[in-house]
Amino acid sequence: MDPLRERSVTGDVLDSVAAAAHGYLSGVDERPVSLPGAAEVLAELHRPLPEEGVGAAESVAELLRVTDLAATTSSGPRFFHFVVGGSTPAAMAGDWVASLTDQVGGLWTSSPLATTLETVALGWLKDLFGLPESWGGVLTPSATFANLTGLAAARRWWAGRHGRDVLADGLAGLPAMPVFASGYVHPSVRKALQILGIGRDSVTVCARDDAGRIDLERLDRELAAAGGPAVVVACAGEVNTGDFDPIDAMADVCERHGAWLHVDGAFGLFAALSPRTAPLLAGVTRANSVAADGHKWLNVPYESGFVFVRDPEVLAETFGGWGVPYLASMDDQQIDYNQLGPESSRRARALPIWATLRAYGRDGHRAMVERHLDVAAHLGKVVEAAPDLELLAPVGLCIVFFRYRPDGVPEEELDELNAAVGRALLADGRVYAGTTVHRGMTAFRPAIVNWRTTETDVELLAEVIRELGVRFVQDGR
Ligand SMILES: *Cc1c(COP(=O)(O)O)cnc(C)c1O
């Protein structure tokens, strides 16, 4: 069916989605996170490309039906796996507007609106995080892309120090780029280094214990031994425990050796929103580049990330096309954001960010972050009070690292027991949290970053883990 024949039905089809949204949203707090029977629904989707289409009304009705039966409730209050934010009402609606108008956010000419909102949103985000107004920035699809963007700028700088233009000539003939980090370094940093041709195994990990905490003296020695330009990656918010690298101390070391400091603050940068946790980020303004996510703790829909750079010129220098007559700076009104990051055509991802910041302001986002700090601390207390749960790290932010540990189970069986309870938890679906292996232990690490989540939801998490755990222990006897 030629879509031209459907011109008049678009509004009705969107109405059907809006009507479904009412039902979905009114039940999302209670909806199971994973649904029994979803696998069968998914299996039925594997069908050949239709020769003749069914039209928008039927197609979208079917999509809504399978969504209702098979969508993971990752936007609900009980999804604690990984670090997954929800979507605030304003952000979700803002995202719909981005789709409605299909703005192309790469060039000023294609959408002065998207460009202006991106400039405004980046300015508001810098203000929110306490980063200087003079810094540059760009929106990215994710923190992985934000790390890629910051590290691409670092790579250009590093090659320049060797007298080479890596953008024009590539890496051939250059030595290996030295990269240093603590054991907190996130896999996405390695992925970025892999894409950049630096190599994912190029990171020298300077850790002083099995948790991965930074060994500053070793970092100092390694940078001295490297003898030339080098890149240091600090982690603001480690995924297993929420712990932070000491950014200020790492900045001291970087300053001594003239190294580029990149901070990965995917969710941890939001610690800046509360005076209770802002000290964790001390020194962040001394970094050269800082990456963070919107789809985690800002609670805007996927995909959303951002990177900020101290020297506002470096993004255009790194990503501006050749032969472009001028390089955009943050002072320009008519910025082509596709010259500041790895993408060319891009979604107008400023719209949901702008909408949520306009709707809730600094106060509202601080309130959300502080509620999550409280809810995480509450879960920590619930864990400590339960005789069969063991808290494995202090709760400093939004992640609670703990395991199931009933009396009488020998230490060497705890990993398998927790892995089994973890698998059962995902299948059970009432709440969702995965296990990790950290410090040699298999354990849970739920992250509390969804605006809908309250104390009741995390109490249910602890309850279900204990309920499922008892079954394994009884079965094992
Ligand atoms: C989640 C995360 C990333 C990657 O973010 P994506 O949005 O999944 O690309 C990077 N670093 C840290 C510390 C993270 O928690």
Side-chain angles (χ1 to χ4, degrees):
M1 184 193 292
D2 187 335
L4 191 58
R5 281 177 47 197
E6 293 226 294
R7 210 178 225 162
S8 61
V9 311
T10 318
D12 295 338
V13 175
L14 290 177
D15 281 348
S16 74
V17 177
H22 283 276
Y24 179 81
L25 293 170
S26 66
V28 75
D29 285 351
E30 304 299 326
R31 188 183 142 100
V33 186
S34 65
L35 289 99
E40 289 77 49
V41 177
L42 300 183
E44 281 171 27
L45 292 172
H46 294 284
R47 281 174 304 190
L49 168 73
E51 283 308 323
E52 281 171 38
V54 291
E58 203 173 319
S59 167
V60 172
E62 188 176 330
L63 184 60
L64 286 169
R65 189 175 56 76
V66 298
T67 300
D68 191 43
L69 296 171
T72 308
T73 315
S74 45
S75 62
R78 295 173 186 170
F79 186 100
F80 304 114
H81 208 352
F82 312 107
V83 185
V84 172
S87 184
T88 64
M92 192 182 298
D95 201 56
W96 283 23
V97 177
S99 291
L100 175 68
T101 56
D102 201 17
Q103 296 293 283
V104 185
L107 294 165
W108 164 264
T109 322
S110 58
S111 179
L113 172 73
T115 305
T116 303
L117 287 173
E118 180 151 351
T119 302
V120 173
L122 286 165
W124 286 0
L125 289 168
K126 282 184 277 184
D127 191 355
L128 192 68
F129 299 131
L131 298 175
E133 211 185 316
S134 60
W135 282 30
V138 68
L139 300 181
T140 65
S142 63
T144 299
F145 267 77
N147 283 329
L148 175 73
T149 306
L151 291 169
R155 185 185 67 156
R156 179 191 164 277
W157 162 85
W158 161 80
R161 291 286 309 276
H162 285 283
R164 299 289 293 275
D165 179 356
V166 69
L167 303 178
D169 303 329
L171 289 162
L174 278 159
M177 184 171 101
V179 185
F180 302 98
S182 74
Y184 289 178
V185 61
H186 189 268
S188 65
V189 168
R190 293 182 184 275
K191 192 175 193 175
L193 292 169
Q194 158 189 332
I195 297 167
L196 289 167
I198 305 297
R200 60 170 182 252
D201 294 338
S202 64
V203 184
T204 302
V205 172
C206 305
R208 68 182 151 96
D209 60 17
D210 67 339
R213 283 187 295 165
I214 187 80
D215 180 339
L216 284 168
E217 278 157 28
R218 173 153 177 223
L219 178 65
D220 197 38
R221 281 199 307 276
E222 295 277 3
L223 282 169
V231 176
V232 173
V233 179
C235 182
E238 192 271 338
V239 286
N240 291 301
T241 67
D243 198 19
F244 281 58
D245 275 330
I247 302 168
D248 213 22
M250 287 171 79
D252 286 341
V253 180
C254 288
E255 207 171 275
R256 245 191 327 273
H257 299 281
W260 179 288
L261 178 60
H262 174 79
V263 174
D264 174 6
F267 60 91
L269 194 58
F270 288 79
L273 274 65
S274 169
R276 288 156 55 184
T277 45
L280 293 168
L281 285 161
V284 72
T285 54
R286 300 172 65 193
N288 298 86
S289 48
V290 177
D293 250 326
H295 50 227
K296 287 179 180 169
W297 222 345
L298 190 63
N299 277 246
V300 300
Y302 285 83
E303 307 157 336
S304 182
F306 18 85
V307 65
F308 303 100
V309 287
R310 179 153 37 130
D311 172 359
E313 300 292 320
V314 304
L315 292 177
E317 286 165 357
T318 307
F319 293 101
W322 53 100
V324 175
Y326 88 112
L327 297 176
S329 80
M330 297 310 282
D331 298 331
D332 289 326
Q333 295 301 307
Q334 305 190 358
I335 297 172
D336 290 336
Y337 276 101
N338 67 6
Q339 303 285 312
L340 304 188
E343 300 165 280
S344 295
S345 299
R346 11 192 338 266
R347 184 174 174 77
R349 55 178 73 90
L351 273 61
I353 295 173
W354 182 90
T356 198
L357 292 174
R358 178 79 181 97
Y360 312 113
R362 192 193 309 274
D363 262 16
H365 281 276
R366 180 195 297 136
M368 172 169 69
V369 163
E370 293 193 333
R371 182 169 59 257
H372 291 149
L373 297 176
D374 291 342
V375 171
H378 177 70
L379 177 57
K381 291 208 181 80
V382 169
V383 166
E384 281 188 310
D388 49 359
L389 297 177
E390 180 186 19
L391 189 65
L392 297 170
V395 184
L397 201 70
C398 56
I399 293 178
V400 185
F401 183 50
F402 70 98
R403 64 180 171 175
Y404 179 60
R405 185 178 196 170
D407 273 347
V409 177
E411 176 73 37
E412 62 272 17
E413 287 174 24
L414 286 174
D415 286 344
E416 185 37 45
L417 175 60
N418 276 274
V421 177
R423 287 190 294 271
L425 187 71
L426 298 184
D428 178 89
R430 279 173 288 173
V431 287
Y432 220 64
T435 53
T436 184
V437 179
H438 181 60
R439 274 165 42 203
M441 293 176 285
T442 301
F444 294 91
R445 51 149 188 203
I448 321 302
V449 289
N450 185 309
W451 66 278
R452 294 177 176 276
T453 300
T454 62
E455 289 190 352
T456 331
D457 301 306
V458 297
E459 283 165 6
L460 184 67
L461 172 66
E463 213 173 286
V464 175
I465 287 174
R466 299 176 70 192
E467 176 195 312
L468 297 171
V470 167
R471 281 186 221 164
F472 281 100
V473 176
Q474 285 167 351
D475 287 355
R477 298 280 148 99

